[in-house]
């Protein structure tokens, strides 16, 4: 029964595009299933065949918003690159995606961020997922001799503190054009180099062991 | 004629406290000189004796908001500490001030940030001033052997990219309790250590020279 399933997926995707049209038209304002049904030319009860609840609709919108970035993270983690190359791709490719979306339509981008704030419980899962992938790269980096004496979770937190202009959309907007790909690579090298095995001894003040 | 001048200063300070009362009462909404006059029990023309324009009032409010942080920066830069100690005090003392203000009254703190967004041309000068003080500490750090091969301006930009959860009030709020004093010290040590003279050679990928 592959055909019906893909028909349903196609209609879901089309409805999500209509959701985006509603955001473009009205901004980051809540809309109802009835609004969506009107735009799609179907009855509200028909919309519920594709999204069983308003919450399911928000979740699908978030999934669509994060899909490209999630694919990037998955591919980078699965690649054969050394840790440094993975970190540069992990942050750099997502930065490029966000930057391009922002440039395509700054207002829509900003409205999506506002909607994300209003539905943070949905967004939270994608942030946790990114942390999970980052932890996998950090584990590899540890095997390569970086982050000596640190726990993986602490390294994730420390790294998140140091890369905000490259990952957080609002900070990214405020930091453009400072937060370039070139500067991202500098930041990654400073982090790797500042926490490399054997280097800590040169810096008596370094308190990286918990 | 010190007396009249200090009387004027005292009244200006009192009017600025009334401004804060207006923000507490109404949120981050514009208020008029007439609103302020009513609260202070004086005529609007009398208010203009202390602040010659609405713009002068916004500037004085910003000066009052940033005063404590500016004093900290000035004292830290003038101190005898080595660069590492200066950086820790430069960021850490201001973080503690912001954190304490936020905890005292999160709503007022957030309203001040919104007002700052609406009057960014006034806030900009304080951000530039902080960059100027940071550049002075970085120059000292360079004399101590850090940041080899980097220009001061580039180091300011690079460092700003890596410390957002400790300096930008909104990022700070989102990052609490991750952005602690202890983690700040880790970040500073990673930056100093990752850009220390002689260390670059160990890391072939490090591209810190412009």
């Amino acid at each position: 029964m592959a055909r019906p399933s893909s028909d349903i997926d196609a209609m879901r995707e089309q409805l999500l595009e209509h959701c985006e049209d509603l955001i473009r038209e009205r901004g980051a304002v809540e809309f109802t299933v009835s609004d969506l049904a009107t735009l799609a030319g179907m009855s509200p009860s028909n919309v519920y065949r594709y999204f069983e609840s308003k919450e399911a609709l928000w979740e699908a919108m978030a999934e669509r918003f994060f899909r490209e970035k999630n694919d990037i993270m998955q591919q980078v983690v699965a690649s054969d690159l050394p840790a440094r190359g993975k970190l540069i791709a992990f942050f750099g490719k997502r930065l490029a995606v966000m930057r391009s979306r922002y440039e395509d339509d700054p207002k829509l981008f900003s409205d999506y961020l506002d909607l994300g704030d209003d539905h943070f419980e949905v967004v939270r899962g994608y942030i946790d997922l990114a942390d999970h992938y980052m932890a996998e790269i950090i584990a590899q980096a540890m095997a390569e001799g970086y982050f000596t004496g640190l726990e993986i979770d602490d390294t994730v937190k420390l790294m998140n503190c140091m890369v905000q202009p490259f990952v957080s959309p609002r900070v990214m907007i405020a930091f453009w054009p400072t937060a370039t790909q070139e500067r991202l690579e500098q930041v990654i090298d400073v982090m790797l180099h500042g926490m490399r095995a054997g280097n800590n001894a040169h810096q008596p003040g370094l308190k990286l062991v918990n």
Side-chain angles (χ1 to χ4, degrees), chain A residues 34-172:
Chain A
S34 168
D35 294 330
L36 177 59
T38 304
L39 195 65
M42 59 169 71
S43 68
S45 63
N46 206 4
V47 171
Y48 283 112
R49 283 181 54 209
Y50 299 99
F51 301 101
E52 62 187 13
S53 65
K54 191 79 186 293
E55 286 63 41
L57 182 62
W58 288 118
E59 278 165 25
M61 285 169 66
E63 193 279 327
R64 183 169 180 269
F65 183 82
F66 285 100
R67 194 182 297 156
E68 194 177 0
K69 297 207 281 177
N70 282 347
D71 288 348
I72 288 170
M73 294 194 290
Q74 218 167 359
Q75 283 160 18
V76 168
V77 168
S79 74
D80 290 331
L81 290 168
R84 177 178 180 271
K86 279 192 183 176
L87 286 171
I88 288 172
F90 182 80
F91 292 110
K93 282 174 189 268
R94 288 182 302 152
L95 178 66
V97 165
M98 282 194 291
R99 188 68 212 167
S100 135
R101 284 199 210 165
Y102 174 70
E103 280 170 352
D104 281 351
D105 192 338
K107 173 76 171 56
L108 178 67
F109 189 81
S110 168
D111 286 336
Y112 264 117
L113 300 187
D114 288 346
L115 285 171
D117 287 347
D118 292 343
H119 298 271
F120 192 68
E121 73 289 351
V122 179
V123 173
R124 182 75 248 173
Y126 290 95
I127 295 176
D128 291 345
L129 185 63
D131 282 352
H132 164 80
Y133 284 128
M134 207 203 298
E136 290 201 28
I137 303 178
I138 286 170
Q140 176 183 337
M142 285 177 169
E144 293 177 20
Y146 299 104
F147 311 132
T148 324
L150 281 171
E151 301 288 335
I152 290 181
D153 280 1
D154 283 320
T155 313
V156 168
K157 284 180 187 168
L158 188 57
M159 202 174 268
N160 271 332
C161 279
M162 302 178 88
V163 295
Q164 282 304 298
F166 308 101
V167 296
S168 165
R170 285 203 174 83
V171 185
M172 185 198 81

Side-chain angles (χ1 to χ4, degrees), chain A residues 150-203:
Chain A
L150 281 171
E151 301 288 335
I152 290 181
D153 280 1
D154 283 320
T155 313
V156 168
K157 284 180 187 168
L158 188 57
M159 202 174 268
N160 271 332
C161 279
M162 302 178 88
V163 295
Q164 282 304 298
F166 308 101
V167 296
S168 165
R170 285 203 174 83
V171 185
M172 185 198 81
I173 294 169
F175 260 75
W176 197 256
T178 300
T180 58
Q181 173 71 22
E182 194 192 354
R183 193 156 274 117
L184 168 65
E185 294 184 21
Q186 287 187 328
V187 167
I188 287 169
D189 281 330
V190 169
M191 291 192 300
L192 287 172
H193 193 62
M195 296 185 270
R196 186 154 176 82
N199 278 357
N200 295 8
H202 302 291
Q203 178 80 357

